């Protein structure tokens, strides 16, 4: 038995006392952005090691550079597999793909960094599908760099769906006060309205319900936003989209015992969720859900991909090229993303 198997659960949600902590693959993100700078302090945070066993998929030398930028003294150790990792204070385990040049500039779009970010995610997905890790936590990648590196995906969500062989997933944003899942995400608003239909709404709500139950809310109250202002106000606004696209899904869901309420006016739904009326809000399109969450503060938000065969969480901020390389990036969202990955990932077999 190697040293990593001696770490056991001491309070992560849903884990049995004495059970091994989940192994989490942490992708380093775009190496020219703030990913390495938030990964280092997040993995050294005492709460992280109490909740999970994180292993970085990335470039060891870039992590060492990030540690020096932040004035952090730590040991970055290369391992071949997650099972070889040893978890002690001050140590960061990394599966080193060695893809970045030592002189890669910080804060500059790079096709090399974009390709490397893809390879980190691909490796993490393979580890998860092979059962070597129980969850994935991703640092931010840059979509333009990803495309320049030859990998044309809208973002992590779609990329991971492809890598794990899943046709449809949902994006969920979680903060301490509000959680929101999206029916549509990275498409234009006109296309989003066209794409929304009862089956998609129903499947999205079901994925959100399952995620909330898994996270410890056995009977979540789910608020479903409308599409039009005031949720159409009985046909006054729009062309009956709520009645056509949303209401049939809600009827099926409620018949199955899922407490899905709506359609709700989106301009008040998030306020009601913030005061505790709803455990989860279902947004119809990207900005309807992202706007309220980002008002709460990017450092508080976590992005979850729901519907994959493995839990995946991420920071809810970008690569921040404007501050990359300064050592000033806030690691709070990365720490929270690791916490939620640990809480929602299954306990590994002994």
């Amino acid at each position: 038995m190697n040293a990593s198997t001696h770490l056991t659960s001491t309070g992560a949600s849903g884990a049995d006392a004495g059970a091994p902590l989940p192994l989490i693959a942490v992708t380093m993100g775009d190496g020219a952005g703030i990913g390495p700078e938030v990964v280092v302090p997040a993995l050294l945070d005492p709460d992280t090691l109490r909740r999970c066993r994180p292993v970085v998929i990335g470039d060891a030398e870039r992590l060492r550079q990030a540690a020096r930028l932040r004035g952090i003294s730590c040991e970055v150790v290369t391992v071949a597999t997650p099972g070889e990792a040893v978890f002690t204070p001050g140590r960061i385990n990394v599966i080193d793909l060695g893809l970045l040049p030592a002189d890669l500039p910080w804060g500059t779009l790079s096709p090399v960094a974009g390709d490397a970010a893809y390879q980190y995610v691909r490796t993490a997905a393979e580890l998860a599908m092979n059962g070597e890790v129980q969850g994935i936590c991703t640092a931010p990648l840059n979509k333009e760099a990803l495309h320049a590196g030859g990998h044309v995906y809208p973002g992590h969500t779609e990329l991971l769906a492809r890598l794990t062989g899943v046709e449809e997933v949902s994006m969920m944003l979680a903060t301490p006060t509000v959680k929101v899942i999206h029916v549509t995400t990275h498409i234009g608003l006109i296309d989003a309205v066209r794409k929304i239909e009862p089956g998609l709404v129903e499947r999205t709500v079901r994925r959100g319900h399952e995620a909330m139950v898994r996270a410890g809310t056995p009977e979540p109250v789910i608020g479903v936003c409308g599409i039009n202002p005031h949720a159409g106000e009985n046909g006054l606004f729009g062309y009956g989209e709520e009645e056509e696209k949303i209401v049939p899904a809600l009827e099926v869901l409620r018949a199955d015992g899922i407490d899905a309420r709506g359609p709700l006016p989106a301009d008040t739904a998030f306020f009601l969720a913030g005061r505790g009326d709803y455990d989860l809000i279902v947004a119809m399109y990207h900005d309807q859900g992202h706007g309220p969450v980002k008002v709460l503060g990017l450092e508080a938000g976590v992005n979850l991909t729901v519907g994959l065969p493995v839990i995946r969480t991420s920071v809810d901020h970008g690569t921040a090229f404007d501050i990359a390389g300064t050592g000033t990036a806030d690691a709070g969202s990365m720490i929270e993303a690791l916490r939620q990955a640990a809480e929602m990932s299954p306990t590994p077999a002994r």
Side-chain angles (χ1 to χ4, degrees):
M1 181 181 294
N2 64 49
S4 65
T5 61
H6 287 286
L7 280 176
T8 56
S9 174
T10 56
S13 176
D16 296 329
L21 293 175
L23 278 160
I24 306 296
V26 182
T27 60
M28 198 180 76
D30 190 303
I34 63 171
E37 296 176 67
V38 297
V39 165
V40 168
L43 265 68
L44 296 174
D45 186 272
D47 280 343
T48 297
L49 284 178
R50 281 196 287 267
R51 296 176 181 276
C52 65
R53 295 178 289 161
V55 178
V56 182
I57 316 300
D59 272 57
E61 183 53 36
R62 198 59 165 181
L63 292 172
R64 295 184 185 108
Q65 292 176 9
R68 289 194 291 269
L69 282 171
R70 301 200 68 132
I72 294 173
S73 177
C74 65
E75 185 183 16
V76 177
V77 181
T78 299
V79 296
T81 67
E84 292 182 11
V86 176
F87 300 90
T88 55
R91 171 177 167 138
I92 294 175
N93 297 282
V94 55
I95 294 177
D96 183 15
L97 300 193
L99 298 173
L100 301 179
D103 59 351
L104 178 74
W106 295 95
T108 302
L109 190 142
S110 164
V112 174
D115 175 61
Y118 168 85
Q119 302 301 339
Y120 305 152
V121 176
R122 179 189 59 78
T123 302
E126 289 179 357
L127 291 171
M129 296 300 284
N130 291 337
E132 295 182 67
V133 298
Q134 286 73 55
I136 298 172
C137 183
T138 59
L141 53 71
N142 183 281
K143 295 180 181 65
E144 189 176 352
L146 182 71
H147 293 182
H151 310 287
V152 183
Y153 295 92
H156 271 118
T157 302
E158 297 82 2
L159 171 55
L160 279 162
R162 175 68 179 272
L163 290 170
T164 57
V166 175
E167 292 187 6
E168 188 176 273
V169 295
S170 297
M171 176 188 294
M172 180 186 288
L173 302 180
T175 75
T177 54
V178 173
K179 290 180 174 61
V180 54
I181 191 169
H182 294 69
V183 175
T184 66
T185 51
H186 296 122
I187 56 176
L189 183 55
I190 292 174
D191 294 329
V193 174
R194 290 176 180 152
K195 184 175 182 179
I196 296 166
E197 50 85 21
L200 180 58
V201 173
E202 179 189 342
R203 294 191 300 274
T204 302
V205 175
R206 289 188 188 278
R207 282 190 286 269
H209 180 271
E210 180 183 357
M212 294 300 295
V213 171
R214 187 175 184 178
T217 304
E219 297 181 351
V221 179
I222 301 173
V224 181
C225 291
I227 297 171
N228 294 295
H230 299 205
E233 199 158 308
N234 297 316
L236 184 61
F237 304 119
Y239 299 93
E241 288 87 354
E242 282 74 19
E243 289 296 322
E244 174 191 349
K245 296 171 177 285
I246 300 174
V247 170
L250 298 182
E251 291 173 348
V252 172
L253 291 162
R254 286 195 286 262
D256 284 350
I258 294 176
D259 192 352
R261 306 178 186 183
L264 305 174
D267 59 353
T268 58
F270 292 90
F271 164 75
L272 296 174
R275 76 178 188 185
D277 291 15
Y278 299 102
D279 298 302
L280 175 68
I281 293 293
V282 180
M284 291 295 125
Y285 52 90
H286 185 281
D287 286 12
Q288 189 182 65
H290 275 62
V293 169
K294 290 187 176 182
V295 167
L296 296 172
L298 291 177
E299 71 283 353
V302 172
N303 185 323
L304 296 86
T305 304
V306 180
L308 294 172
V310 60
I311 187 65
R312 174 260 174 171
T313 67
S314 179
V315 294
D316 188 33
H317 59 69
T319 47
F321 281 167
D322 56 327
I323 63 168
T326 65
T328 60
D330 190 326
S333 184
M334 194 73 201
I335 293 170
E336 178 64 13
L338 277 163
R339 183 187 71 80
Q340 294 209 31
E343 290 193 350
M344 298 185 72
S345 295
T347 300
R350 294 180 185 274

